[in-house]
Each structure stands twice: as C-alpha cells, then as structure tokens.
C-alpha cells in the first residue's frame, strides 16, 4: 500500500512545468488531503500514481514514482487498476458502459474475476455508498451528484488497497457529503490508503491524517490534520483555502411575483412517458441572485435546461419574462446556461478564442492561459472560462449550474462578485449549487426543489447535461 513520489517534475507536451520537485510518501492506511489553488497541479499528482502519467498523458517526466514497490512509468498501465482506483473530477469521463450495475462490474470483468465475486463486490459497493436504488438505472439518466456517487461505488468495487479521489464532493448535496465522510472513515478503518484532492475541506476535519498545500506545482506546506484544522481563519483566507468549519447559508425571503423577472406560471416536462417536472408559480426576480437548491436528483438542472429552451416542455406550460410569455425558442435567445459539465461548452483552440474579449479572461484570472487549449486547463480553470463566456453575453437570464466545482476560495469570491455585478445590471441570475459557502457569498434568496418519486417506469434521459431523476408533482418549496 506504499506510495513514493520522489522529486518529480513534469510538463505536458510542449507546455510549462506543472509539477516541480514534487515528493510525497503518505503513510500506508492513512488519509492524505491535497489542497491548493485551481491549476496548481493537484490532479496531475494523482495521475502520477494511477499511471495516466506517463502512459496516457505524455510529457517530460523527471524523478520516480513507485506504488507498492512497482515503478509506475515502466509497468503496464493495465496493472495499475489492481493497485489503485480513481474517482475523477468529471465522472462521466471514466464510465465505459451505459448502466450502473454494468459499470460496477466492468473492471472485474476485464481482470477475469469470477462472476460471483464481481456480483458480491458490486452489491457491497452499492451498499457502502448508499445507492442500491440506482443499480438498474441508466447512467445518462443520473444527476451530476448521482454520477459522483456511482464513481465512488465503482472505485470501492475494485477493492484496491489505494483509493484516489479528485474533487469527489463537487456536485454532492450536504447530506451526501456527510455520507461520503462516513465512507472515508470506513475505508480508513479497513486499512485503505486514500488521497483526496479537494477544495471543500470542512467535512474532512475528523477524517484526514495529513494535509498537503500545493502552490505552482510545488508542495509549499505540510500539516498534520490537527495543525491544519486549528488554523486561524485569517491565515486560511490568506492561503486561498475554503472554510474549515461547516458553512451555513441563510437566504432571504423570495419576493412576490412582479413584472421584473422570470415567472413560471406552469411548467411541465417529461422524458418519454416519465414525468419529471410539474411546477407552478415560481419566480426568479431580476436584479437579484437566486439560489436553486435541493437534493441530488431533484430536477434542478432539468428545470434550468427547460427554462432555457434546451429541453421540451409539455403543453399547457407558461413561462413569462418581464410579464411577457415566451416560447422555448424565444427563451433560448434570451438566456445562457453555464452547464454542470463545462466540457460540453468548450469549442475553440485557445482560451482567448473561446471568449473573444481578453478583458473577460482578466475578469476570471485566466489571462496567463490565454493561448492554452481549453481542454488542457484544470477543472476549475475550465469552469471559469465558461463563466467568462457567459459574462460576455448580452442576454437577460443567466443560469449557473454548480459554478464553483473545482474552484478555490479566491476564485469563489471572485465568481460571487461577477454574479452580483450581473444582477446589479438588472439581469435574472439563477445559481444551482450545493455549496453553502458560495451561496452565502452571492445569493439573496433561495428556491428549494423537493423530489417526489412517482414510481413511473425508468427511462434514460438524453445524454445532455441533465439532473432529472425523479418527479416534482407540487409547487416548489420556497426557503
């Protein structure tokens, strides 16, 4: 279960150094947290351990990486899956099948494990993560948070001695985050060696053993968990880290329906024969930032997609903007959605071409990567790049779906300011998020969607960015 990264420097092909003299040897059976600014090299460190560097991501590698005594660079990458399992920052990129139970069985089948053993591992993993109800579901019909849970179950099903997690809570609701912390405790008790790359830190207070702070590709500070979580709040902010205490969001009351804003008089939507939305009298005021919250799978992303005209609405639906009813095509022209999976919104060969206006890159602190290919950026940088694209759009309604996944504290504050500036211009700004630290920074009011399962036949949703997994058969709850 030993991991030894010794004096590693790495740069992707023809690019700048991403890691500099990086060394890490976590204690076997411990939980190590790696934190630091977006783009500092945290995910790259995980890819050294699981063999994606240098076998998949090519570049210039100096130093050595051994896992359980095996030189990762010379061993075949197929052997890596027997030593460690990884939950990626974007779980969609690690799925190979179309259905949850098949996905959990995939690794074992590739290694020729006995079918009964695969079935046992899969059942145990579903139970560990608490998603037995998702076993027969299509992956394309899951919300982002549910996909993260499946990815965690997939990693557990491999029963490797080492587990690597890259931003595993970015799309999880608060209850699911607590459940994930409990899962980490169980893995630790079972003797697993665990490394977690995270921006959200508070939930790791009673789980972590060591914390590594990475800055510009180098380990700038090392802490025991006890030292780290005793850190003064001012020091934590100076280091650009998220809160170390459980964040709380206290939204104001939702204003009454008026002509200035987006009003859902009635909205119904379905996937095939499965009804997924049935809502009445929801109002998103212009000039304010409204949080759209609720548990994973409640239909928040589906609601945003339908309001933007990206998902069909049922007959009888009526949505008004500034008192005027608009059909889906009209709403599509007057709205912009920053998706949960921003990879779907990156089309150009450079960050500069993606946004067109260099001042927009400066607003989201991306000027230094202007000539980089968008897909070469870190998860947090991609998130900010699409937000910059949104800021350049002259439209009336903005939806931001989990805009702080993969984002550090400094950029969380910056994004909050940008959204408030949009609202100050009289725009309708709606934020879908499970991040109370972020919501407390930028949101004025909140609307909560509560799921209601109607036991309709499960059907796969389109492969677009959707959070529909259960139906809403009553007006939204206002909080």
């Amino acid at each position: 279960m030993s991991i030894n990264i010794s004096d590693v420097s790495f740069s992707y092909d023809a690019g700048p150094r991403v890691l500099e003299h990086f060394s890490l040897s976590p204690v076997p059976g411990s939980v190590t947290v790696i934190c630091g600014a977006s783009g500092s090299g945290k995910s790259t460190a995980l890819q050294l351990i699981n063999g994606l560097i240098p076998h998949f991501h090519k570049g210039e590698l100096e130093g050595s990486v051994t896992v359980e005594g095996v030189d990762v660079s010379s061993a075949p990458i197929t052997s890596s899956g027997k030593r460690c399992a990884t939950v990626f920052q974007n779980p969609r990129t690690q799925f190979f099948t179309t259905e949850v139970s098949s996905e959990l069985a995939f690794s074992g089948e590739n290694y020729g494990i006995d079918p009964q053993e695969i079935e046992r591992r899969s059942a145990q993993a579903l139970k560990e993560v608490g998603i037995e109800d998702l076993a027969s579901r299509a992956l394309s019909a899951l919300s982002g948070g549910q996909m993260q849970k499946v990815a965690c179950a997939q990693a557990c099903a491999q029963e490797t001695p080492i587990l690597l997690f890259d931003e595993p809570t970015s799309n999880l609701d608060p209850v699911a985050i607590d459940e994930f912390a409990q899962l980490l405790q169980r893995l630790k008790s079972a003797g697993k060696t665990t490394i977690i790359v995270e921006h959200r830190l508070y939930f790791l207070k009673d789980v972590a053993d060591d914390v590594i702070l990475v800055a510009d590709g180098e380990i700038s500070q090392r802490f025991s968990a006890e030292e780290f979580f005793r850190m003064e709040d001012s020091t934590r902010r100076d280091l650009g880290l998220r809160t170390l205490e459980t964040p709380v969001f206290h939204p104001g009351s939702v204003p009454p329906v008026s002509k200035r804003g987006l009003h859902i008089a009635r909205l119904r939507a379905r996937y095939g024969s499965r009804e997924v939305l049935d809502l009445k009298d929801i109002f998103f005021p212009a000039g304010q930032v409204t949080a759209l919250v609720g548990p994973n799978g409640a239909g928040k992303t589906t609601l945003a997609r339908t309001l933007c005209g990206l998902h069909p609405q049922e007959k009888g639906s009526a949505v008004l903007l500034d008192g005027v009813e608009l059909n889906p095509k009209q709403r599509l022209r007057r709205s912009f959605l920053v998706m949960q999976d921003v990879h779907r919104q990156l089309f150009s060969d450079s960050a500069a071409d993606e946004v067109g206006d260099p001042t927009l890159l400066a607003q989201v602190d991306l000027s230094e990567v202007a000539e980089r290919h968008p897909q070469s950026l870190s998860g947090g940088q991609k998130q900010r790049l699409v937000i910059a694209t949104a800021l350049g759009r002259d439209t009336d309604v903005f939806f931001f779906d989990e805009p702080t996944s993969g984002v550090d504290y400094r950029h969380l504050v910056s994004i909050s300011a940008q959204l408030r500036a949009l609202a100050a211009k009289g725009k309708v700004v709606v934020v879908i998020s499970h991040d109370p630290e972020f919501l407390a920074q930028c949101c004025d009011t909140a609307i909560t969607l509560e799921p209601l399962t109607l036991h309709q036949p499960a059907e796969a949703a389109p492969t677009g960015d959707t959070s529909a997994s259960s139906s809403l058969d009553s007006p939204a709850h206002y909080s």
Side-chain angles (χ1 to χ4, degrees):
M1 291 183 285
S2 63
I3 299 169
N4 184 28
I5 303 175
S6 179
D7 196 29
V8 165
S9 296
F10 179 75
S11 58
Y12 294 98
D13 280 343
R17 284 282 179 91
V18 180
L19 293 177
E20 286 273 9
H21 303 293
F22 191 97
S23 296
L24 179 65
S25 297
V27 175
S30 67
V31 175
T32 300
V33 178
I34 302 178
C35 57
S38 301
S40 60
K42 304 183 299 297
S43 297
T44 300
L46 295 188
Q47 291 166 2
L48 292 172
I49 299 168
N50 63 23
L52 288 178
I53 294 175
H55 296 291
F56 186 79
H57 299 296
K58 305 299 182 181
E60 184 179 344
L61 175 65
E62 300 174 5
S64 67
V65 182
T66 60
V67 177
E68 294 200 301
V70 177
D71 182 358
V72 173
S73 64
S74 60
I77 193 170
T78 52
S79 67
S80 178
K82 297 180 179 180
R83 296 188 294 270
C84 61
T86 308
V87 174
F88 294 168
Q89 193 168 10
N90 179 9
R92 281 187 179 90
T93 62
Q94 69 184 90
F95 293 152
F96 292 91
T97 68
T98 60
E99 186 256 343
V100 173
S101 60
S102 297
E103 192 62 37
L104 266 60
F106 183 81
S107 175
E109 290 174 340
N110 272 275
Y111 285 118
I113 294 174
D114 182 80
Q116 289 186 330
E117 174 63 11
I118 292 174
E119 186 175 343
R120 182 197 67 78
R121 291 185 181 187
S122 297
Q124 179 63 27
L126 289 168
K127 182 179 179 180
E128 281 281 10
V129 183
I131 56 170
E132 292 107 319
D133 60 318
L134 300 182
S136 61
R137 295 287 299 277
L139 289 166
S140 60
L142 302 182
S143 73
Q146 289 170 326
M147 285 189 180
Q148 282 194 310
K149 292 180 182 181
V150 172
C152 289
Q154 180 193 58
C156 291
Q158 294 182 47
E159 295 195 352
T160 56
I162 296 168
L163 289 157
L164 309 176
F165 295 93
D166 195 353
E167 301 284 354
T169 68
S170 58
N171 296 321
L172 297 185
D173 61 49
V175 172
I177 290 175
D178 289 342
E179 292 171 348
F180 178 68
Q182 295 168 21
L183 171 64
L184 291 177
Q185 285 283 20
R186 293 194 294 272
L187 293 172
K188 183 177 177 178
S189 297
K192 306 289 186 180
T193 301
T194 307
I195 300 180
I196 307 167
V197 167
E198 260 292 1
H199 287 295
R200 289 181 180 174
L201 299 167
Y202 69 91
F203 73 96
L204 295 164
K205 188 173 185 176
D206 298 321
V207 179
D209 295 294
D210 299 286
V211 181
I212 306 298
L213 178 62
V214 179
D216 298 323
E218 300 183 51
I219 295 178
S220 62
Q221 295 190 57
R222 300 173 187 260
F223 306 87
S224 69
E226 184 180 0
E227 292 172 328
F228 185 78
F229 286 100
R230 284 204 316 259
M231 186 185 299
E232 294 289 334
D233 205 47
S234 58
T235 304
R236 183 267 305 174
R237 287 195 299 268
D238 289 343
L239 292 174
L241 299 174
R242 298 271 205 114
T243 181
L244 304 183
E245 302 296 332
T246 304
V248 179
F249 171 47
H250 296 296
S253 59
V254 178
V257 175
S258 71
K259 287 190 175 181
R260 290 286 293 123
L262 184 68
H263 177 210
I264 301 173
R266 178 72 188 269
L267 184 66
R268 297 174 60 212
R270 64 175 61 242
Y271 290 120
S273 61
R274 181 182 174 88
E275 188 172 42
V276 294
L277 291 174
D278 186 356
L279 304 172
K280 299 176 184 178
D281 287 326
I282 300 178
F283 182 62
F284 300 101
Q288 294 188 22
V289 181
T290 305
L292 182 59
V293 298
N296 292 129
K300 302 181 296 296
T301 296
T302 300
L303 175 56
R305 286 172 51 82
T306 307
L307 290 174
C308 288
L310 296 173
H311 183 80
Q313 63 189 37
E314 292 290 283
K315 290 182 178 179
S317 298
V319 180
L320 296 81
L321 178 61
D322 295 344
V324 178
E325 185 173 347
L326 302 180
N327 63 37
K329 288 185 177 179
Q330 291 170 324
R331 298 201 303 271
L332 185 61
R333 290 193 293 268
R334 299 183 65 176
S335 60
F336 189 91
L337 169 64
V338 174
M339 295 180 178
Q340 195 169 22
D341 183 2
V342 293
H343 296 79
R344 299 173 182 272
Q345 295 179 272
L346 299 172
F347 305 102
S348 299
D349 293 330
S350 71
D353 290 342
E354 196 70 51
V355 298
D357 183 351
T359 63
L360 294 172
L361 288 181
Q363 286 184 50
V364 295
D365 194 26
L366 289 177
S367 296
E368 292 186 359
V369 298
E371 300 308 315
R372 291 264 302 275
H373 194 287
Q375 298 293 354
S376 74
L377 303 180
S378 73
Q381 288 171 328
K382 290 174 184 174
Q383 197 82 41
R384 282 148 46 208
L385 181 59
V386 178
I387 289 172
T389 303
L391 297 176
R393 290 290 297 267
D394 182 20
T395 193
D396 300 299
V397 181
F398 293 86
F399 289 90
F400 297 85
D401 195 350
E402 297 290 358
T404 56
S405 60
V407 172
D408 56 58
Y409 177 73
R410 183 166 62 89
H411 293 116
L412 178 150
V413 173
S414 174
I415 292 169
S416 299
Q418 300 290 351
L419 301 195
R420 284 196 170 277
L422 277 178
K425 295 177 182 177
K427 308 297 185 180
V428 175
V429 181
V430 182
V431 176
I432 300 171
S433 180
H434 295 295
D435 189 345
E437 184 178 11
F438 169 60
L439 297 177
Q441 285 273 350
C442 73
C443 291
D444 303 292
T445 60
I447 295 171
T448 303
L449 295 186
E450 298 289 354
L452 178 63
T453 303
L454 298 181
H455 304 292
Q456 300 179 74
E459 294 187 15
T463 56
D465 192 61
T466 176
S467 291
S469 68
S470 60
S471 300
L472 302 171
D473 196 30
S474 59
H477 168 64
Y478 292 81
S479 62

